[in-house]
Every structure is written in structure tokens, then in C-alpha cells.
């Protein structure tokens, strides 16, 4: 084992580098990904080592980036696209939803679209509008896409490589406020958890907390605080949102009887609604209380001076946990 | 000149007619163009004529099948045969076509079975051919999206390092006049230009985007747009199969040798409706259609062949008979096309196992089976 202490951002960078070393067809493309290394420096140094043909500074046009990535994939390449910020993905939504997601099915399986769309997501960095959004539900709603969200450096390192290796298009969410979190990462291991498997990141018995991306850390903090009050929360990092590892979720809720879902996206019609519905279907007779959701309010993302109120924090998670016990 | 406060200056510039490249007049007379010399044998010309006639016949049969309820919809290419056959026959096996949903003539040139085109409009599949096998991508319904795919594909050709070699290909993106207003088309122009990608943008300006005439899309002739992006643009007589062949051949060869993109505006006319659900009598004048009938792409080749004694009545009759036979086969194949199995809709959504696809497929199979049990009991 070669353990290196890496930030989450550096872990993605290292994973990208490994994928590019292993397969000459892997390309990186996006706005400012070359000399600058991306606005978050996730592609730092890659153009210097792999050249401008493989690390492509594109014109400032998101639909163009994804549309040409599709064409490159049709020619046998594996493009990894960087969308600079979550709120900038919408000009590319047509190419992702209408073209990328459906091309395999439209061709009866003849075409393969191994395109990865990396999206720094979520709030908490004091940014201006359109820089703090959580658009995952738009993409989990689209058949043909895989949607994953990493929450920690080790997963970021492996999951970016698994996404690139995937024959299906992958929307890869990166929790931008966790880019600087550090952890030991085994950069030589190829013994990876299955790409679409959820992981119990803290075992517990009294209630199940479901989270992904930036919320996982918040939920772990909430679980530590709850433990002081004698409540044992099981925290599950879903990791893959589509497909969803429903067996892992159901196994936990069947045991605990209570479930709280946490995400930064607005609760109304958010990903948590799907989780609540599925948990209710699978675990109905085991549930001691309705599945509760904690998330962003159903408003546009607020100015950053208000974001601490908008984002689910430890107290709002514990409040929801309290409510499931008070039912 | 009075300027309308809403519509601005009269939009005559877009429809004004700079001289397009022409090698065969509507009367069937061969003319030369200094930039586009073209040598064709009598066999070549007869082959082009055969392509044109068969393509029109396939199209007519598909329209008829739609009228009879066998297809849900059909986008007729009537009037645009020369633009499609001329450009389609300029391609090599190494080239890759990115069509809209109206490129039946190009599909013919790429050996795509016309029955497969019908499958899409019948609702049997979304395009049942292998794009790699034919060098012909799936039909794209959303206007202009494919121009970006073509540009990316061309960037891939560039990265393969084959440009300038005998095995070099280039991409060609087909789109219409309406598509030139789309963001994706303009982004494709930008990407193609700055990366100097080996791509030809082939715009069939058929004058109408459903009911909207060209002046709703552009204040200048479309080929002139290319200049603003930094690559050459040319207008060609889109009803002249010789000119379309010569211009596309030259543009593709330039792309294959690394000289970058080019925009070809094939100036033509959609003689029929936009699709079989459209009614052009609501928005255009009969006189306009009549004037374009005089520029028919097939008649001028026939006149040229006849005038030069390059073909006799037996040849023309033979082509007609062949086209009829192909249409009859097409009709037979269409009527015999089975509906797909209901459970097949869950297939090919993902390459790998996907639990939701499996779960819903199993549930739906059980649901369908429950009816069979009811019948049995």
C-alpha cells in the first residue's frame, strides 16, 4: 500500500493522471483546464505533461464542450469534461439529456458514449449566485446517465477512475467545499469498492441517515453529536445516485426503523423524494416513523450571507432525527 | 427607404442571390467554373441520375406509406435530391456523416437500407443501423445538435494523426437554414474554427424552416456567416448535382489534408411539406413552388444525358423500373416490419447491469404475463 495524504481535489487530479497514463484515449476538456489547471486546480499540471491535444482548453461554450465530447467519444476517445460550476451546466443540459444519455439506446447498443461530466457542486464557499447549486435531480431523472457523488479523498480518487472506465456516460459530482479536506489515499490499490455500491460510513442502530457528496461529512458530525445523547445513527454514503444501491439502504432501515435523508438541493422534488418513496415501499412494516428529509429550501440558492441558514447543518439534521423519534 | 420599427430594414439581403457555383444549368447545359473543374464519365453521370431517381422514388413511397397510416411521420426530401446525392457521392469510406432527419439521399449513398429509415418514422426503433459500419450517424431530430457531434468527431480524426494520409477521413455535418440560428450550430462553427477541425458544414438552405422563411433566420446569405468564424463559405446551386459533387469533393479533400473547415450553402428548395403533418399552403405562394419546379434537380440531368446522347429511352425506362421495384420492396418490408417486443424498451439503456432496468423489466414482464394467465384460466 502506498498511502499518500491527499486533499479531495488532489485525489481527483491524481486519479485523472492515472487514467490518462493508463489509456491514451482519455482526454480532459473544459474552460481553463489547461495552463490554469481549472479554477479549482483539479486539472493542475495535466496539460504540461499530456499536451494540448489531450488537455483541451475549449471555447467558452458548455453545450459545445459536451457536444464535441460526444463526437470525440464516437471516434473512440474517452473525454472527461469539466463544467466550471454547477450553475453553468444548464447550457449543456440539452446535449447531456437529449443526446449523451440516449445515444446508446437509439443505436440499439451500437454506440458507446464513455463521457464523464465533472461538476463541482454544492454551496458553502461564499460564492456569488449560480456557483453553489445542486442540480443532481435533473440528471438522476434522465435514463442513460450514471450519476455519482464523491464525499472524501479516497472515493474521489477511485471513483473518477471508475467513471472514466465506465462504458456509460457518468455525471460526476464533486463537493466543492470539501476539495481541501485531507485523508490518506492508497494510490496504488486497485481493490476498489464497486462503483455503484453505497457504503456505511458510520454504523449505528437507532436511525439511518442517508447522504451523499458534501452532506456526508455534515451527517457524520451530526451522528457524533447524537452519540453523546445516546443515539446511535447509521450514516450511509450513497456514492452512486443512479443506479441507487437500494439493497444497502433497505438493509439498514429494516434494522433501524427510522430514516432521515439529507442533501443540499431543495427538498421539493429533490433526490430525497425518490429515496423516501423507495424506503417507504421497501421497509413499510419496519418503519417506526415517516422518512424525513432535510435539505435546501425550495427557493433559489440565497445570497451567500444566508447560505448557512439554507444548507442543512448539524442542528437541522439532529432536529429531524428528534422528530422521527417523537413520532 | 422606410425602416419598420419592429422588423428593421427590409430583409432582402438574405434572399438576394449572389451567383452560386453552378456546373449544370436548369436547362441541362454544362457550364464550367474556374474553381471547381469536374471530370465525369458518361457512366458517372448515369449513376448519379440513377441515384437521384431512386432517392425520389423512395421518398415518394414513404410519403404514401405515411398517408396510408403505416408511418407516423415522414420528412420528405423532394427537391433536395441533387444536394444530397452530389454531396453524398463526394464522400469516401473514411468520412463520417452526421445527418438531420431528412438526409435520405445521403443515407442511400452510404448504403443504409431505406427500410431502416422507415423504422424510425414507423416507431419501431430510433434508428436501426450501425453508424460506424456505414459512416453515417443516426438521424438527429433536435435541430443542430449533430453539428457539435460532427465537430468533436473531426477533432478525434485530428487526434488520430491521420490527416493528410490516404486513410484520412473528414466529418460532414448536414443541417438546414433554420438550424443556423441554433446556438449549437454557432458553437460548432467556433470549435471547428479554433481547432481547425477537418469538417465540412453542409447547409441545405431549402428556404423554409417549417413556415418560417429564410429572412426570419438571417439578414445575410448564410454562406457569408463562415467569414465571421474564420473559415471559407461558398454558395452552390443545390439543385445541380454536378456542382454539389464538385464543391463538396473539394471541401472534403481540403479538410482531409488538414486545411480546416468549410461551410457549403446548398441553395435549394423544399418542394414538399416540412413533414407529412405540415400544410405549406398556409404560408407560401404556389407561384414560388412553380418557379422552383423549373429548376428541378433530376430533369436537368435527364436533359443533359438526352442532349448528349449519353442515355437512351431503354436506360431511362430501366432506371424507372428499378426505382419502382425498390419502392415495392420497401413497401413490402415496411408492412412486414414487426412491432418490437415490449420488454425490449429496457435494453441498451446502459451497457452494464442496471438494477432499476432489471427491476422494472421484471415487474413489467410479470404484469404482462398476468394477462396471459387470465386468458388461460
Amino acid at each position: 500500500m502506498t498511502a499518500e495524504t491527499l486533499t479531495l481535489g488532489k485525489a481527483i487530479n491524481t486519479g485523472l493522471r492515472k487514467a490518462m497514463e493508463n489509456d491514451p484515449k482519455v482526454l480532459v476538456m473544459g474552460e481553463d483546464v489547461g495552463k490554469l489547471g481549472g479554477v479549482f486546480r483539479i486539472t493542475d499540471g495535466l496539460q504540461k505533461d499530456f499536451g494540448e491535444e489531450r488537455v483541451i482548453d475549449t471555447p467558452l461554450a458548455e453545450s459545445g464542450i459536451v457536444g464535441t465530447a460526444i463526437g470525440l467519444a464516437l471516434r473512440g476517445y474517452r473525454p472527461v469534461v469539466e463544467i466550471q460550476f454547477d450553475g453553468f451546466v444548464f447550457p449543456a443540459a440539452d446535449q447531456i439529456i437529449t443526446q449523451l444519455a440516449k445515444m446508446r439506446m437509439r443505436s440499439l447498443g451500437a454506440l458507446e458514449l464513455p463521457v464523464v461530466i465533472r461538476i463541482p457542486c454544492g454551496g458553502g464557499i461564499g460564492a456569488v449566485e449560480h456557483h453553489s447549486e445542486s442540480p443532481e435531480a435533473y440528471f438522476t431523472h434522465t435514463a442513460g446517465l450514471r450519476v455519482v457523488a464523491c464525499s472524501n479523498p479516497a472515493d474521489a480518487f477511485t471513483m473518477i477512475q471508475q467513471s472514466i472506465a465506465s462504458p456509460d456516460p457518468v455525471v460526476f459530482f464533486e463537493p466543492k467545499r470539501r476539495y481541501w479536506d485531507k485523508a490518506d489515499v492508497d494510490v496504488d490499490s486497485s481493490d476498489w469498492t464497486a462503483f455503484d455500491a453505497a457504503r456505511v460510513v458510520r454504523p449505528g442502530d437507532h436511525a439511518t441517515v442517508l447522504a451523499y457528496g458534501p452532506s456526508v461529512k455534515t451527517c457524520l458530525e451530526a451522528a457524533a453529536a447524537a452519540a453523546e445523547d445516546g443515539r446511535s445513527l447509521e450514516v450511509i454514503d450513497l456514492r452512486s445516485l443512479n443506479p441507487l444501491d437500494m439493497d444497502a439502504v433497505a438493509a439498514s432501515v429494516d434494522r433501524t426503523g427510522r430514516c432521515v435523508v439529507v442533501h443540499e438541493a431543495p427538498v421539493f422534488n429533490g433526490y430525497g423524494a425518490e429515496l423516501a418513496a423507495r424506503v417507504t415501499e421497501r421497509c413499510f412494516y419496519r418503519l417506526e416513523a415517516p422518512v424525513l428529509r432535510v435539505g435546501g429550501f425550495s427557493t433559489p440558492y440565497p445570497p451567500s450571507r444566508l447560505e448557512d441558514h439554507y444548507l442543512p447543518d448539524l442542528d437541522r439534521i439532529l432536529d429531524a432525527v428528534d422528530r422521527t423519534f417523537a413520532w | 427607404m422606410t425602416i419598420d420599427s419592429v422588423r428593421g430594414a427590409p430583409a432582402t439581403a438574405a434572399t438576394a442571390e449572389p451567383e452560386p457555383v453552378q456546373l449544370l444549368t436548369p436547362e441541362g447545359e454544362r457550364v464550367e467554373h474556374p474553381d471547381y473543374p469536374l471530370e465525369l464519365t458518361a457512366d458517372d453521370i448515369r449513376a448519379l441520375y440513377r441515384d437521384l431517381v431512386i432517392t425520389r422514388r423512395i421518398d415518394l413511397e414513404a410519403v404514401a406509406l405515411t398517408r396510408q397510416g403505416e408511418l407516423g411521420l415522414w420528412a420528405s426530401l423532394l427537391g433536395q435530391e441533387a444536394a444530397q446525392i452530389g454531396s453524398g457521392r463526394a464522400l469516401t469510406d473514411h468520412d463520417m456523416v452526421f445527418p438531420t432527419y431528412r438526409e435520405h439521399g445521403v443515407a442511400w449513398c452510404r448504403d443504409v437500407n431505406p427500410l431502416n429509415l422507415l423504422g424510425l418514422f414507423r416507431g419501431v426503433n430510433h434508428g436501426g443501423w450501425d453508424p460506424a459500419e456505414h459512416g453515417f450517424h443516426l438521424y438527429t431530430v433536435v435541430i443542430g445538435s449533430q453539428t457539435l457531434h460532427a465537430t468533436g468527431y473531426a477533432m478525434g480524426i485530428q487526434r488520430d494523426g491521420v490527416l493528410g494520409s490516404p486513410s484520412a477521413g473528414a466529418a460532414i455535418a448536414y443541417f438546414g437554414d433554420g438550424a443556423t440560428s441554433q446556438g449549437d450550430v454557432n458553437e460548432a462553427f467556433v470549435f471547428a474554427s479554433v481547432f481547425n477541425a477537418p469538417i465540412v458544414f453542409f447547409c441545405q438552405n431549402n428556404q423554409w424552416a417549417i413556415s418560417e422563411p429564410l429572412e426570419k433566420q438571417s439578414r445575410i446569405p448564410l454562406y457569408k456567416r463562415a467569414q465571421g468564424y474564420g473559415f471559407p463559405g461558398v454558395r452552390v446551386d443545390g439543385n445541380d448535382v454536378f456542382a454539389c459533387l464538385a464543391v463538396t469533393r473539394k471541401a472534403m479533400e481540403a479538410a482531409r489534408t488538414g486545411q480546416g473547415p468549410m461551410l457549403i450553402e446548398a441553395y435549394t428548395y423544399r418542394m414538399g411539406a416540412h413533414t407529412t403533418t405540415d400544410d405549406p399552403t398556409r404560408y407560401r405562394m404556389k407561384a414560388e413552388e412553380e418557379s422552383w419546379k423549373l429548376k428541378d434537380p433530376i430533369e436537368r440531368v435527364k436533359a443533359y444525358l438526352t442532349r448528349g446522347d449519353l442515355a437512351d429511352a431503354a436506360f431511362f425506362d430501366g432506371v424507372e423500373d428499378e426505382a419502382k421495384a425498390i419502392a415495392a420492396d420497401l413497401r413490402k418490408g415496411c408492412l412486414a416490419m414487426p412491432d418490437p417486443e415490449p420488454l425490449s424498451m429496457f435494453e441498451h439503456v446502459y451497457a452494464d447491469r442496471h438494477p432499476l432496468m432489471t427491476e422494472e423489466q421484471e415487474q413489467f414482464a410479470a404484469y404482462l404475463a398476468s394477462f396471459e394467465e387470465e386468458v388461460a384460466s
Side-chain angles (χ1 to χ4, degrees):
Chain A
M1 166 161 171
T2 315
E4 287 183 26
T5 306
L6 299 178
T7 62
L8 190 149
K10 184 68 180 170
I12 298 172
N13 177 275
T14 310
L16 285 170
R17 179 175 288 277
K18 286 233 168 205
M20 295 190 80
E21 281 166 357
N22 292 339
D23 182 353
K25 294 290 187 186
V26 175
L27 308 175
V28 165
M29 54 197 293
E31 297 156 5
D32 308 298
V33 298
K35 275 199 181 126
L36 184 68
V39 294
F40 289 107
R41 309 292 182 268
I42 305 302
T43 57
D44 190 34
L46 297 179
Q47 191 181 64
K48 185 171 148 281
D49 294 337
F50 295 100
E52 289 181 26
E53 293 290 296
R54 293 188 63 194
V55 180
I56 307 168
D57 268 329
T58 65
L60 212 165
E62 284 78 11
S63 189
I65 297 168
V66 175
T68 52
I70 290 170
L72 282 156
L74 293 173
R75 184 70 188 182
Y77 288 87
R78 304 185 93 83
V80 184
V81 162
E82 176 171 306
I83 299 293
Q84 202 158 65
F85 281 92
D86 35 58
F88 303 171
V89 73
F90 301 108
D94 175 55
Q95 284 289 348
I96 298 173
I97 292 169
T98 311
Q99 303 297 331
L100 180 63
K102 296 176 173 63
M103 226 173 250
R104 170 180 289 280
M105 197 245 198
R106 286 172 57 219
S107 68
L108 302 178
L111 297 178
E112 194 145 289
L113 278 299
V115 177
V116 179
I117 316 274
R118 293 180 37 240
I119 307 178
C121 71
I125 63 162
V128 297
E129 56 182 346
H130 314 304
H131 291 66
S132 303
E133 300 185 4
S134 300
E136 62 271 15
Y138 299 108
F139 301 108
T140 56
H141 192 63
T142 301
L145 300 176
R146 287 174 174 267
V147 181
V148 301
C150 60
S151 69
N152 62 76
D155 273 353
F157 171 73
T158 55
M159 286 169 73
I160 189 64
Q161 293 179 75
Q162 288 169 310
S163 298
I164 294 167
S166 166
D168 291 316
V170 179
V171 179
F172 187 90
F173 282 105
E174 302 172 3
K176 67 169 88 77
R177 70 174 148 138
R178 309 292 184 210
Y179 271 147
W180 301 274
D181 287 4
K182 282 183 186 167
D184 284 347
V185 178
D186 182 359
V187 293
D188 282 341
S189 171
S190 53
D191 180 20
W192 296 337
T193 307
F195 188 29
D196 46 14
R199 181 187 294 128
V200 177
V201 286
R202 179 185 172 110
D205 300 320
H206 298 155
T208 300
V209 180
L210 302 177
Y212 53 88
S215 301
V216 172
K217 189 177 180 186
T218 321
C219 291
L220 286 170
E221 288 164 1
E228 290 172 17
D229 294 337
R231 274 198 184 134
S232 160
L233 304 186
E234 178 148 297
V235 180
I236 295 183
D237 179 357
L238 294 175
R239 300 170 80 249
S240 171
L241 306 186
N242 187 4
L244 165 66
D245 186 357
M246 194 53 212
D247 288 344
V249 171
S252 175
V253 179
D254 274 342
R255 217 162 27 73
T256 62
R258 289 182 169 81
C259 182
V260 173
V261 180
V262 181
H263 55 55
E264 291 191 8
V267 164
F268 187 82
N269 239 331
Y271 190 70
E274 183 63 35
L275 289 170
R278 286 191 177 263
V279 167
T280 306
E281 277 180 34
R282 283 280 292 266
C283 311
F284 189 71
Y285 288 109
R286 293 286 188 174
L287 283 172
E288 303 287 345
V291 180
L292 294 185
R293 290 168 289 160
V294 186
F297 298 112
S298 301
T299 64
Y301 197 85
S304 62
R305 294 280 172 171
L306 292 175
E307 70 181 341
D308 287 346
H309 296 288
Y310 176 92
L311 294 168
D313 62 4
L314 188 147
D315 287 333
R316 277 174 58 204
I317 295 167
L318 291 177
D319 174 64
V321 170
D322 284 348
R323 283 187 283 128
T324 68
F325 279 97
W327 203 270
Chain B
M1 183 170 77
T2 51
I3 301 210
D4 185 297
S5 62
V6 176
R7 288 176 297 175
T12 50
T15 45
E17 296 204 29
E19 279 304 304
V21 176
Q22 190 180 69
L23 300 180
L24 187 65
T25 68
E27 295 73 33
E29 278 173 40
R30 186 74 168 82
V31 288
E32 296 296 330
H33 190 287
D35 298 333
Y36 299 98
L38 182 69
E39 297 282 339
L40 292 173
T41 66
D43 276 345
D44 293 337
I45 300 166
R46 285 191 292 261
L48 288 171
Y49 178 81
R50 173 180 172 270
D51 287 337
L52 292 167
V53 170
I54 289 173
T55 299
R56 179 170 289 184
R57 193 65 189 77
I58 288 170
D59 189 73
L60 285 175
E61 197 63 32
V63 171
L65 283 162
T66 312
R67 298 272 179 252
Q68 292 154 10
E70 296 298 336
L71 302 180
L73 185 80
W74 181 256
S76 169
L77 62 43
L78 189 67
Q80 298 175 225
E81 295 89 350
Q84 296 195 13
I85 297 300
S87 59
R89 288 298 178 205
L91 309 178
T92 72
D93 287 349
H94 300 295
D95 297 324
M96 185 72 191
V97 176
F98 288 81
T100 72
Y101 44 78
R102 204 189 295 280
E103 267 64 77
H104 321 313
V106 190
W108 170 257
C109 295
R110 306 303 277 178
D111 289 329
V112 174
N113 185 338
L115 198 55
N116 279 334
L117 308 178
L118 264 55
L120 187 153
F121 292 96
R122 191 173 165 85
V124 171
N125 57 44
H126 296 317
W129 62 91
D130 180 351
E133 189 190 329
H134 296 279
F136 188 81
H137 190 67
L138 299 179
Y139 273 6
T140 298
V141 170
V142 176
I143 304 299
S145 300
Q146 76 283 359
T147 58
L148 281 169
H149 309 156
T151 304
Y153 191 92
M155 290 163 66
I157 296 173
Q158 218 169 14
R159 277 157 184 75
D160 290 347
V162 293
L163 290 182
S165 78
S167 67
I172 179 166
Y174 286 81
F175 53 98
D177 39 299
T180 61
S181 298
Q182 284 280 7
D184 276 4
V185 174
N186 288 273
E187 292 183 23
F189 289 168
V190 171
F191 276 66
S193 174
V194 299
F195 293 117
N196 203 40
I199 178 169
V200 170
F201 294 105
F202 195 90
C203 175
Q204 289 168 82
N205 174 2
N206 70 13
Q207 313 301 328
W208 292 93
I210 306 190
S211 69
E212 296 199 6
L214 184 62
E215 59 260 29
K216 296 284 183 201
Q217 316 292 343
S218 184
R219 286 292 184 100
I220 60 162
L222 294 174
Y223 76 95
K224 286 193 176 171
R225 291 238 180 119
Q227 193 188 356
Y229 295 94
F231 51 86
V234 63
R235 179 179 277 185
V236 59
D237 180 346
N239 286 16
D240 174 354
V241 71
F242 293 177
C244 289
L245 174 67
V247 171
T248 311
R249 193 177 267 172
K250 191 170 174 181
M252 290 298 282
E253 193 48 31
R256 289 183 210 112
T257 51
Q259 296 171 59
M262 183 157 169
L263 170 63
I264 299 172
E265 178 192 4
Y267 201 76
T268 180
Y269 194 77
R270 191 193 77 207
M271 293 301 294
H274 163 67
T275 67
T276 42
T277 60
D278 177 33
D279 176 10
T281 63
R282 290 178 72 97
Y283 54 81
R284 70 185 189 190
M285 306 297 287
K286 195 81 189 157
E288 182 181 288
E289 294 174 21
E290 292 302 323
S291 75
W292 277 91
K293 263 187 195 164
L294 304 174
K295 302 175 190 170
D296 187 83
I298 299 183
E299 286 308 315
R300 67 176 79 180
V301 182
K302 190 173 187 179
Y304 180 74
L305 284 170
T306 308
R307 181 172 303 153
D309 273 336
L310 300 173
D312 55 16
F315 167 77
F316 292 119
D317 291 347
V319 171
E320 283 305 321
D321 290 346
E322 190 189 0
K324 259 186 217 165
I326 288 171
D329 277 353
L330 191 61
R331 166 169 294 269
K332 217 164 107 187
C334 178
L335 299 181
M337 212 185 284
D339 283 350
E341 290 296 322
L343 295 177
S344 70
M345 74 176 96
F346 299 97
E347 290 165 11
H348 305 305
V349 182
Y350 292 91
D352 293 339
R353 187 197 69 86
H354 189 289
L356 190 58
M357 297 302 114
T358 310
E359 182 188 330
E360 292 189 359
Q361 189 178 35
E362 285 170 357
Q363 285 170 355
F364 192 49
Y367 173 77
L368 292 175
S370 70
F371 290 97
E372 285 162 27
E373 283 158 20
E374 266 176 37
V375 173
S377 62

